Amino acid sequence: MKLISWNIDSINAALTGTSTRAGETRDVLHKIAGEHPDVIAIQETKLSKNGPTKKHQAVLQELFPEYNVAWRSSVEPARKGYAGTMYLYLNKYTPTVTYPQIGAPETMDDEGRIITLEFPDFFITEVYTPNSGNGLKRLADRQVWDDCYREYLHKLDQQKPVMASGDFNVAHEPIDLAHPENNHHSAGYTDEEREHFTKLLGAGFTDSFRHLNPDKAGAYSWWAQRVITSKQNNSGWRIDYWLVSDRLADKIQDSKMIDSGKRRDHTPIELDINL
């Protein structure tokens, strides 16, 4: 199977926007479509509680005519048009789609952050992990989220093997960001967030990219959109992952970032696995 995951930062802008960046985003969508993956996971859709509009659906149908769509949006009492996730999967598959609540704090369970696809022999699940925020104001809640999410994945893994993707909003080790020495107290690279990611891997999961590339530096999945030179200088972070149950590690064929050209922010990540 070929699986692709991407934090798109507004699917409305991607599908209907007229800006230069919207055009860059659509170019990446066309590139993904050309790869003909089995499953596409999309984070930070920023859709309304009603999901994709008829116009969105028409564009998606044009881009991905052989795919079914599953989506989850932020709902009250959470912020409108915030976070959100989506799956596109080939219509030859008929997975059971679930929208789990994990007992997360505040409004996190209402922000549309997790969708899970259950296949006969495995789970595919995606997550858009909450950011700890400016001044780390959400760090305490983020740690509770990490505990809840780890427990959720562990429960899935006890039933059948799991492939989990998404924007995990953490660079795990110094090799996973360009300037670790300057970001020790930044959201996404605090001791607490990194320790929780270590615990997640310790619960029975393998970081597929690092499994294949244990010493590869300069490989990132996110570059600051507001810093014009971030991508030119490859001043990035690896905060997007494909994790697999440890017992699937020997089935990983490839795990890589997909080149998104000049577009800053997240780039898609791909997992090829022999199931």
Side-chain angles (χ1 to χ4, degrees):
M1 294 186 80
K2 178 181 290 188
L3 313 171
I4 292 176
S5 184
W6 187 24
N7 179 323
I8 199 169
D9 185 26
S10 177
I11 201 162
N12 177 63
L15 299 180
T16 65
T18 58
S19 67
T20 298
R21 186 168 184 272
E24 292 172 348
T25 304
R26 277 193 292 277
D27 287 343
V28 178
L29 281 173
H30 281 284
K31 190 171 189 176
I32 291 172
E35 292 292 323
H36 201 66
D38 294 87
V39 176
I40 305 162
I42 300 175
Q43 301 91 52
E44 202 171 0
T45 54
K46 296 182 177 177
L47 290 173
S48 77
K49 65 180 181 180
N50 298 319
T53 65
K54 289 183 179 180
K55 186 172 184 179
H56 295 150
Q57 292 175 38
V59 179
L60 285 171
Q61 179 62 27
E62 182 179 349
L63 276 169
F64 302 101
E66 299 176 48
Y67 291 77
N68 291 324
V69 180
W71 57 270
R72 186 178 189 183
S73 293
S74 181
V75 295
E76 294 179 349
R79 264 195 287 166
K80 297 178 180 179
Y82 179 60
T85 45
M86 176 180 286
Y87 268 119
L88 300 166
Y89 55 91
L90 285 174
N91 54 25
K92 68 179 181 179
Y93 298 118
T94 56
T96 299
V97 184
T98 57
Y99 309 90
Q101 303 274 328
I102 61 172
E106 275 199 332
T107 61
M108 289 176 174
D109 263 338
D110 300 307
E111 293 167 0
R113 293 184 174 275
I114 305 174
I115 305 177
T116 298
L117 305 180
E118 181 177 359
F119 292 80
D121 299 317
F122 53 83
F123 291 103
I124 299 177
T125 185
E126 69 171 306
V127 65
Y128 177 34
T129 302
N131 192 297
S132 293
N134 295 331
L136 303 179
K137 61 185 178 182
R138 220 178 185 188
L139 178 59
D141 287 336
R142 160 67 185 269
Q143 293 178 74
V144 178
W145 166 279
D146 285 340
D147 287 337
C148 294
Y149 181 71
R150 183 177 67 253
E151 182 179 349
Y152 171 69
L153 276 198
H154 180 63
K155 287 179 178 178
L156 290 184
D157 187 48
Q158 290 177 317
Q159 300 173 56
K160 59 184 81 172
V162 177
M163 289 162 282
S165 77
D167 175 0
F168 283 79
N169 260 317
V170 59
H172 186 213
E173 301 289 356
I175 196 174
D176 294 315
L177 69 167
H179 302 291
E181 66 283 355
N182 297 334
N183 287 287
H184 187 68
H185 299 291
S186 299
Y189 194 64
T190 63
D191 290 343
E192 294 88 344
E193 291 162 316
R194 295 171 62 202
E195 287 169 5
H196 274 89
F197 197 78
T198 297
K199 289 180 181 178
L200 177 57
L201 297 180
F205 298 95
T206 296
D207 173 353
S208 62
F209 177 83
R210 199 53 75 196
H211 177 72
L212 297 182
N213 306 279
D215 302 312
K216 186 171 184 178
Y220 307 125
S221 66
W222 177 84
W223 301 262
Q225 182 185 338
R226 296 179 182 179
V227 181
I228 295 175
T229 59
S230 64
K231 202 162 191 182
Q232 297 169 13
N233 297 335
N234 198 27
S235 181
W237 298 48
R238 190 172 73 95
I239 58 176
D240 302 85
Y241 300 83
W242 272 106
L243 307 183
V244 304
S245 295
D246 288 344
R247 58 193 182 279
L248 293 181
D250 63 349
K251 299 183 182 297
I252 299 168
Q253 296 178 312
D254 200 2
S255 183
K256 62 187 178 183
M257 293 72 170
I258 296 174
D259 184 6
S260 53
K262 295 180 180 179
R263 186 186 187 276
R264 299 186 300 279
D265 204 60
H266 295 264
T267 204
I269 57 172
E270 178 181 329
L271 173 69
D272 295 282
I273 189 163
N274 183 11
L275 297 170

